[in-house]
Each structure stands twice: as C-alpha cells, then as structure tokens.
Amino acid sequence: MNATVAAFGVRSTGSPAHQRLISWLERHVDRLPGVSVRSEHFGIQRWQPGPGLLVSDGVVPVAAAIPYSAPGLRSGELVRLPASTPITTANARGKVVLREFPAVDRGYLAEPFLNQDMVDAGLAEAAGVVVAFPFPHEQMKGYWDPHLGTHYRVPGVFVGADAAAKLNPGAQTTVGVLAARTPAVTRSLVATLPGISNERIVLDTNTDGVGWVQENGTVALLALAEHFARLPLRCRPRTIEFVFATGHLHRPAEGSEFRARALDAEYDSGSVAFAFVLEHLGTREFLPGNGSLQPTGAAEPSGWFAGSPALTRAAFTALSGRGVDRTFVLPGTDVPVPDRAPPQCSFGGIGTHFHSHLIPTMAMISGPWTLWAPAFGAEAVDHERMRRQVLAAGDAITALSPVPRDQIAGPYADLRKARAGGAPTCSHELPPEWAPRP
C-alpha cells in the first residue's frame, strides 16, 4: 500500500499527482461497507515544481529547487554568507547568496532558518539563494523543505556537498527555478464510518507528500478504515471519522487546522470524543557519518503524544502490547507555560492543530533525516515496524472506544473552561501565502 502511494510521485498540494492520489483514496474508502465520503475544498496559488538550474563557472548539478521559490533565471556575484550573518540589502542585493544547510540534529528542524533566509533574501533584493548540504547530491535529490507554502520572491536551489565544492564565491553565477504558479483547488476527504453512537473518534493525516515517509499516514488510515469497517456495528461504540487532509505542504490551506477549528466549535455539544493523528510511520534512523547519511540499523526515535491520563495509559499499553520500541509518550515538545490553555502547544506535527484547539488528542510522529529526502525510497521505512505501529494505534482506538468521554478528556475540560474565561491559548495563525515584498 505504501509503494502504491509513493508511486504517485511528488504529491505537491493541488498538483495533478496529488489530485490523482486523492481520487484513488476516495475510491478506496468509498467502497468500504457503511462508509460515506465528502470533500472540503480550498483555493490556493499552486506551486508546481520543476528543475532548478545553477551555472557558476559551468553547470553545477542541482539536487532540488527550494519549494515555493520564485520561477525564473537571475544572475549575480556569488557571495558566501555564514549562518551567523543575516541576509541584508547591504550584503546581498543583486547577488546570489550561498548558505550552508543549518547545523541541526534532524533536517526538519532547519525549516525556520531556511524560511527566514528566503524571506530575507527577497527583502534584500538578492538575485537568488543556494543552500549547500553536507551530504552527497544523490541523497538530497528532490529534497522538499520549507513546506510552509509561502511563495518566495527569489529563486533558490539545494545542492549536495559534491556540487557545492565546485562553487567559487566571487564568480558570476546564474540561479534559476523552472516552476509554475497557478490558481488551483485542492480538497480534503472526510470519510465517516457509523458506530452505535454518533459521538466521533477523529483520525487524521495529510495526503500531500514527497516520498515513502511523507506522508505514509494515508496508508495507516486506509488500513484502519478497512479493519473497523469489517467489524460488526456492535464492535464500534463510537462513529469513526477518517480525515485525509490537504494543505500540509501548502499550509495557508492546512486542512487539519480547518478540521480542528470545526471540531473545536462543536466539541462542547458532546459530538467528539478524541482525535488521533498518524504521521511518518516505520521510519529507520539515518545519521551523518563520513560525509553522508548512514543507516544505524535502529528505528528512528518517535513520539506518541497524549494530552490526558486516559490517552497516555492507552498509548503505553498499546506500544507495550505490540513491542514498539524507541517511542516516547509525551505531553508536548515545547516548554510548558503554566497559565496557558493548554500549557504545551506542540505535538510535533499536525496533531498540534487538534490539541491546541483543546480537542483531546493523541499523535504518532517521527522526524528522520529521510522525512524530506525522497531519494531514500523504500529503504527509509521498516514496514514491519510500520505495521506494528498501526496495530498499536488500532489497539488504542479499540480500548478507548467504550471509555466515557469525560474520562478521555481529563484536563481538557478545565482547559476549555479556562480559555472561555480569558486564559491565553496557542496561536492558530497559518503562514502567509506570499512572502513580503521589499
């Protein structure tokens, strides 16, 4: 199933490949007994990726265009700016800026730095940006981050270490991105499997992605939908809603956020029990060594976030029962703020949207180096581990299905009261679709 999803290729938001995947998912769930399917549509300014181009004393191999960078060709003097030096008009105007990929423990942690550099380069009226990895070209082909969905004002490209060695600061350099910006409509799928009660368990993942890791949560939701649809009605105490959300690679249209807002608005009516988000499953650990990313032979550490004692107990029991190792059960990733509702906002990924809207939430996620590097293909995923994780998710859902709603909620009930009384809460602001102009 994961091979089928990966075979659609780069599923950039609203692209033909993404639309074909959504239609395939729709056919898959629509044929399950008792399931009804609807769509939620979002208008976007699509960025359709093409190749990057870099000429500096000859053609230099480009691993990927930086997502949402400006289409076109621009030229200027190549200037190397260390990470500690901000990109400004004084040092970058009319020039091609060469940056090293940020020194981070995992690639996904570099996103805020990459985004800031692209925004700053646009404000500085730079000719373009080149980001050099410390890893080989072949490993970084197709790299996709930042995934904010913010259209930048300058072209930008990624190059591997072997290509970066050919670059000479001071040389006249041309950087280009062959991509298209066009209006498009994308959609989320919401599949509903009735239970004895109309009260819902909401399972969520995103459909746009770039490889075998991002996003294989679609496979998990399909497998769980097939499993629960085969059960007799008496084995489903609650209705289950499967959300195949769009917009995670174009976050101004983040479908999970809009679904979370809707659930937040109706939660107090008693129609929602809890949400469970699944992302980046079965991942193998790759770490830097000898100038490249090397498999360690271990699983990538993962998190199972849980916002109440009942959800936490279900997570521990499920992980232990299925022998899923190297997994932390956590209440959040950020530093707690005692008077905020909730004290911790981040669940590490799209689970954040539901938890920060004070929906009782669990979220399973990992963040390997292979997350945005599709060149690793099937090698990035241990599918037996992925299967055990999905079985554990199914166990937790089954165990929680008959548990009273107030027991599942735990502290969320008081947090919702505190928010209604004026307590500060988490930001739900989505990234802008366009970077600022100079």
Side-chain angles (χ1 to χ4, degrees):
M1 289 176 75
N2 200 15
T4 300
V5 171
F8 282 92
V10 176
R11 288 89 65 197
S12 58
T13 313
S15 67
H18 185 216
Q19 293 169 354
R20 286 193 294 272
L21 172 62
I22 293 172
S23 295
W24 179 81
L25 291 168
E26 186 173 37
R27 292 192 299 272
H28 205 91
V29 293
D30 192 45
R31 71 171 186 239
L32 297 176
V35 174
S36 60
V37 188
R38 62 182 177 85
S39 294
E40 296 179 345
H41 295 84
F42 305 91
I44 63 170
Q45 186 73 12
R46 183 177 68 192
W47 188 82
Q48 183 66 32
L53 174 70
L54 186 61
V55 180
S56 185
D57 294 333
V59 176
V60 178
V62 169
I66 294 176
Y68 292 89
S69 58
L73 296 171
R74 301 186 194 175
S75 299
E77 177 190 349
L78 184 68
V79 56
R80 184 190 299 272
L81 296 179
S84 57
T85 303
I87 297 173
T88 66
T89 303
N91 61 24
R93 186 173 187 177
K95 299 177 181 179
V96 176
V97 176
L98 175 60
R99 285 284 220 201
E100 304 297 329
F101 190 82
V104 291
D105 183 64
R106 294 293 193 276
Y108 74 92
L109 296 170
E111 181 180 61
F113 305 104
L114 296 171
N115 173 66
Q116 193 62 58
D117 279 353
M118 291 299 292
V119 170
D120 289 346
L123 292 172
E125 299 183 276
V129 175
V130 179
V131 176
F133 280 100
F135 311 124
H137 171 85
E138 288 300 318
Q139 289 190 332
M140 295 298 106
K141 286 174 69 174
Y143 197 86
W144 186 292
D145 209 29
H147 64 290
L148 297 176
T150 298
H151 289 274
Y152 299 115
R153 303 291 178 177
V154 296
V157 297
F158 291 119
V159 296
D162 36 355
K166 301 177 182 179
L167 297 174
N168 297 308
Q172 187 71 7
T173 297
T174 298
V175 62
V177 170
L178 304 179
R181 288 170 168 164
T182 54
V185 175
T186 186
R187 61 188 175 120
S188 295
L189 295 178
V190 181
T192 303
L193 176 64
I196 295 172
S197 166
N198 289 330
E199 191 176 291
R200 284 168 294 155
I201 297 167
V202 179
L203 310 184
D204 178 270
T205 194
N206 65 281
T207 56
D208 36 0
V210 296
W212 287 70
V213 175
Q214 173 49 262
E215 183 47 68
N216 63 21
T218 52
V219 175
L221 259 63
L222 283 178
L224 290 167
E226 288 183 347
H227 165 69
F228 286 109
R230 285 197 299 265
L231 299 180
L233 181 63
R234 67 178 183 273
C235 296
R236 296 195 301 271
R238 289 184 168 104
T239 293
I240 306 176
E241 181 178 285
F242 302 88
V243 180
F244 298 87
T246 191
H248 192 53
L249 273 61
H250 190 107
R251 297 198 54 233
E254 178 75 74
S256 296
E257 169 63 20
F258 290 106
R259 196 76 205 103
R261 292 177 186 179
L263 297 178
D264 188 358
E266 62 179 285
Y267 179 82
D268 292 334
S269 70
S271 62
V272 181
F274 67 92
F276 193 176
V277 175
L278 293 96
E279 300 179 87
H280 321 155
L281 303 174
T283 51
R284 292 186 165 108
E285 183 180 59
F286 285 75
L287 293 178
N290 299 318
S292 66
L293 288 170
Q294 302 286 339
T296 67
E300 174 71 15
S302 62
W304 186 325
F305 295 91
S308 76
L311 297 175
T312 298
R313 287 192 297 270
F316 272 118
T317 301
L319 289 167
S320 176
R322 295 296 180 176
V324 181
D325 63 352
R326 290 173 68 85
T327 302
F328 300 90
V329 179
L330 299 168
T333 65
D334 50 339
V335 176
V337 177
D339 295 328
R340 187 172 61 194
Q344 289 177 276
C345 291
S346 176
F347 269 19
I350 57 179
T352 300
H353 298 290
F354 298 89
H355 172 67
S356 65
H357 275 285
L358 301 181
I359 306 300
T361 302
M362 297 191 297
M364 189 186 295
I365 189 171
S366 67
W369 270 106
T370 57
L371 176 59
W372 298 112
F376 288 86
E379 184 185 3
V381 182
D382 177 346
H383 285 92
E384 174 54 31
R385 176 180 176 83
M386 182 178 176
R387 180 174 180 273
R388 284 186 282 115
Q389 287 177 316
V390 178
L391 286 167
D395 291 346
I397 294 163
T398 301
L400 289 163
S401 289
V403 175
R405 184 170 172 274
D406 60 343
Q407 291 184 27
I408 292 173
Y412 283 100
D414 288 337
L415 290 170
R416 292 182 72 86
K417 290 177 183 177
R419 183 183 65 178
T425 187
C426 308
S427 171
H428 302 118
E429 184 178 358
L430 293 172
E433 193 161 40
W434 291 94
R437 294 184 181 276

